[in-house]
Amino acid sequence: MATKRVTFRLYPTQTQANKMHYWRKLHCALYNACVEHQKTSYKRFNKSVSYFDQQNCLPEFKEFWTDYKELGSHALQDTVKRVNLAFQRFFKLKSGYPKFKKSRRYKGWTYPCQSGWKALTNGKNGSLKISNLGTIKMRGQARDWGKPKTCTILFKQGKWYASITVDCIPSRYQTDVGAIGLDFGTHHAIADSNGNVVENPRFVKVAQGKINIRSLSDRNTELIFSQPSTQKISPLAQAKRGN
C-alpha cells in the first residue's frame, strides 16, 4: 500500500468560485491571527503558545466570527497547524520567522481527514462534494486510485485545483519482457546485459591520423616550392639580360 497525490482541475460555478475566494481569505485571516497570537504572547508575556492552545480557542473564535462556522472544524485546525509547523521550522533554523500572508497570495486550505468533503470519482474526472459549498465538477486522471485520505483546495494562476491523497496499490508496467540493459563506456562503445560488446570505433583517433598524414604532405609541398632555383645561366643569357 502506498500514498499518492492526485491533482484534479476544478470547474466551480461563479457563485461557488466567489464563495471559495471568500473562504480562502478567511483562512488567510486565521493564519495571520495565529501568527500574531504567537508573536504577542512571546514578546509581551514571554510565553510560548502551543498548537493545542490555539486549537482550543477555535470554538470561541467561531462563536464571535460566525462566518467561520461553515468552513469546517478540521479545515480550520489544519490552518492553525500550518502556523505551528512554520514556527517549528524557524526554531530548527530551517526557515525564516513566519510572516503575515497576503490574501491574494494565500493558496488555499486543506481537509486533513475525510470529514467535510467527498470525491465522487473512480480516478478519472468526476466531481468533488464539499460541505456548505455543493458539488463541483472536476477533470483529471489518476494512474492509481484507492481510498481518499486528504484534500487540499488550491488557487493557482487563476484556476482552482483539488489535490487529493489516496492510499492505493501502485501498478507498474511490465518492462522485463524483451528488455536489456546497456552500458555506454569509453573502452567499449556499448556492453549489454547479455554479454554482447560493441567496440569503440574511435572516430577521432582515426581522423586525427589522416589529418596528420595530410598535414605532413602539404608541408613537404610547401618546402619544395619555397627553395631557391639552382639552375645555371649561360654567359649568352646573362649578356642578353645585361643589354
Side-chain angles (χ1 to χ4, degrees), residues 87-104:
F87 275 96
Q88 287 183 6
R89 289 193 298 268
F90 167 71
F91 291 130
K92 294 179 181 178
L93 303 179
K94 294 184 177 181
S95 63
Y97 190 84
K99 299 179 180 180
F100 299 117
K101 295 184 178 295
K102 297 181 180 180
S103 59
R104 69 174 182 270

Side-chain angles (χ1 to χ4, degrees), residues 27-238:
H27 279 281
C28 180
L30 177 61
Y31 182 94
N32 293 334
C34 291
V35 172
E36 179 64 24
H37 186 203
Q38 293 258 17
K39 183 178 179 181
T40 303
S41 297
Y42 185 78
K43 284 188 174 182
R44 292 188 178 182
F45 308 105
N46 196 23
K47 179 182 177 182
S48 61
V49 180
S50 66
Y51 161 70
F52 295 102
D53 293 334
Q54 292 185 327
Q55 177 185 334
N56 294 333
C57 294
L58 286 177
E60 185 178 355
F61 181 82
K62 290 189 294 182
E63 290 297 329
F64 187 80
W65 300 96
T66 57
D67 290 347
Y68 281 90
K69 289 185 177 181
E70 62 179 0
L71 271 64
S73 299
H74 295 283
L76 297 177
Q77 291 172 9
D78 185 83
T79 301
V80 174
K81 195 168 187 177
R82 288 185 184 183
V83 179
N84 181 261
L85 294 176
F87 275 96
Q88 287 183 6
R89 289 193 298 268
F90 167 71
F91 291 130
K92 294 179 181 178
L93 303 179
K94 294 184 177 181
S95 63
Y97 190 84
K99 299 179 180 180
F100 299 117
K101 295 184 178 295
K102 297 181 180 180
S103 59
R104 69 174 182 270
R105 294 184 179 179
Y106 197 80
K107 293 183 178 181
W109 65 93
T110 299
Y111 296 96
C113 58
Q114 297 178 351
S115 176
W117 67 283
K118 185 177 182 181
L120 305 177
T121 178
N122 58 357
K124 183 177 181 181
N125 303 327
S127 58
L128 179 68
K129 186 178 181 181
I130 300 178
S131 299
N132 301 320
L133 187 63
T135 303
I136 306 173
K137 293 181 180 180
M138 65 181 185
R139 292 186 62 85
Q141 185 172 357
R143 177 179 296 180
D144 302 307
W145 187 253
K147 184 179 180 180
K149 303 294 291 184
T150 68
C151 178
T152 300
I153 306 299
L154 301 172
F155 183 74
K156 298 187 299 182
Q157 299 179 351
K159 300 176 183 178
W160 288 99
Y161 297 91
S163 182
I164 303 174
T165 58
V166 295
D167 287 342
C168 61
I169 300 176
S171 60
R172 302 290 182 185
Y173 294 103
Q174 191 174 2
T175 59
D176 59 343
V177 179
I180 60 174
L182 298 178
D183 181 23
F184 297 89
T186 56
H187 184 66
H188 300 292
I190 303 173
D192 62 21
S193 57
N194 295 331
N196 301 319
V197 176
V198 178
E199 296 296 335
N200 191 343
R202 304 188 183 279
F203 295 111
V204 176
K205 185 176 181 180
V206 174
Q208 188 63 44
K210 294 181 180 179
I211 292 173
N212 294 339
I213 296 174
R214 182 61 182 271
S215 177
L216 181 62
S217 176
D218 292 345
R219 187 178 302 173
N220 293 336
T221 304
E222 291 178 359
L223 291 175
I224 293 174
F225 284 101
S226 63
Q227 291 179 356
S229 178
T230 58
Q231 185 180 2
K232 295 182 178 180
I233 303 175
S234 63
L236 181 60
Q238 291 181 359

